[in-house]
Amino acid sequence: MKKFVVTITREFGSLGRPIAKRLSELLGVEFYDRDIVEAAARRMNLPVSVISKTEEKKSGFFQMMFPLGTENVEKQKSLFECQSQIIQDLAGKESCIIVGRCSDYVLADEPNAIHVYIYAPYADRLANCVGTLGMTKTDAKKMIAEVDRARVAYHRHFAGYLPDDPEHKHVIINSALLEVEGTAQALAAIVRQKFGKETE
């Protein structure tokens, strides 16, 4: 069985994280998301901090650009390089699922990678934020707009292309079609077809 990695880029509210978690369960591999930031914080000896609502006023971009609470451009560049090394180390060590952090770009030359983009219609994303995440409709609309803007800016800045660019994706899937379980099952089937039945 070949070692593989699945990178997942997603729209906010498309339930990309629970899909990634379920996919990892179906395939029996680890999935990494926020742990990459925490590992980078340890390597760089920096505290992990949550960006406050006040700081998010800066178009939401700094929430993604400066996830460790600093607006120092050189430090952000160092952080991205550190995260990239962590992603490469994880992908080199074992089969895994990696969420966000421009992992599709970082692992663009990885031959045994499948790069996935998960999206959903706005109405479904809004419903997910209100129903699944327990947000108010007003907060959900604000968060969708801010996080969308931040993720696009982050990806464009570091990868040089938009997160949903089909030239850099193997699979683009609407999570509203099959919801969390069905989407994870569909993605698992693709991975098994590509890399072998041993992943069952």
Side-chain angles (χ1 to χ4, degrees):
M1 174 62 191
K2 292 180 180 178
K3 179 170 58 62
F4 67 87
V5 59
V6 178
T7 71
I8 293 182
T9 309
R10 76 286 187 212
E11 284 186 323
F12 182 75
S14 67
L15 301 180
R17 192 176 192 278
I19 289 169
K21 185 176 187 300
R22 180 59 181 142
L23 178 61
S24 74
E25 294 169 353
L26 291 170
L27 297 175
V29 300
E30 292 293 331
F31 91 101
Y32 300 99
D33 184 6
R34 188 67 185 174
D35 351 34
I36 295 170
V37 174
E38 293 168 355
R42 289 192 296 272
R43 288 193 185 188
M44 298 176 72
N45 195 29
L46 291 170
V48 176
S49 58
V50 179
I51 303 302
S52 68
K53 290 287 183 182
T54 302
E55 290 169 317
E56 285 174 1
K57 286 192 298 186
K58 296 171 181 175
S59 80
F61 178 56
F62 288 102
Q63 181 180 9
M64 301 302 293
M65 281 294 290
F66 302 99
L68 299 186
T70 173
E71 294 185 11
N72 182 290
V73 175
E74 283 305 311
K75 187 162 286 186
Q76 173 56 29
K77 182 181 176 183
S78 296
L79 171 62
F80 179 75
E81 291 171 352
C82 181
Q83 288 180 333
S84 297
Q85 187 59 60
I86 291 167
I87 289 169
Q88 290 169 344
D89 291 346
L90 292 171
K93 182 176 65 174
E94 60 182 359
S95 293
C96 60
I97 317 296
I98 299 178
V99 179
R101 313 293 170 222
C102 289
S103 51
D104 58 323
Y105 168 73
V106 174
L107 299 176
D109 295 327
E110 169 56 51
N112 293 332
I114 293 179
H115 304 302
V116 177
Y117 182 74
I118 298 173
Y119 74 99
Y122 185 83
D124 293 282
R125 296 166 64 198
L126 191 59
N128 289 335
C129 289
V130 173
T132 305
L133 302 180
M135 303 172 69
T136 67
K137 197 169 184 178
T138 299
D139 286 345
K141 287 180 177 179
K142 180 174 182 288
M143 187 66 75
I144 288 172
E146 289 183 348
V147 176
D148 278 356
R149 189 162 57 242
R151 286 181 178 169
V152 166
Y154 181 87
H155 215 91
R156 180 183 281 147
H157 179 83
F158 286 109
Y161 56 86
L162 296 176
D164 62 348
D165 188 337
E167 290 293 321
H168 300 276
K169 296 292 181 290
H170 298 113
V171 180
I172 297 177
I173 190 165
N174 176 0
S175 62
L177 181 66
L178 299 173
E179 301 183 340
V180 172
E181 181 66 22
T183 303
Q185 291 280 0
L187 292 174
I190 291 171
V191 173
R192 291 176 181 134
Q193 180 67 32
K194 176 69 175 174
F195 297 111
K197 294 182 178 179
E198 292 89 340
T199 54
E200 294 178 348

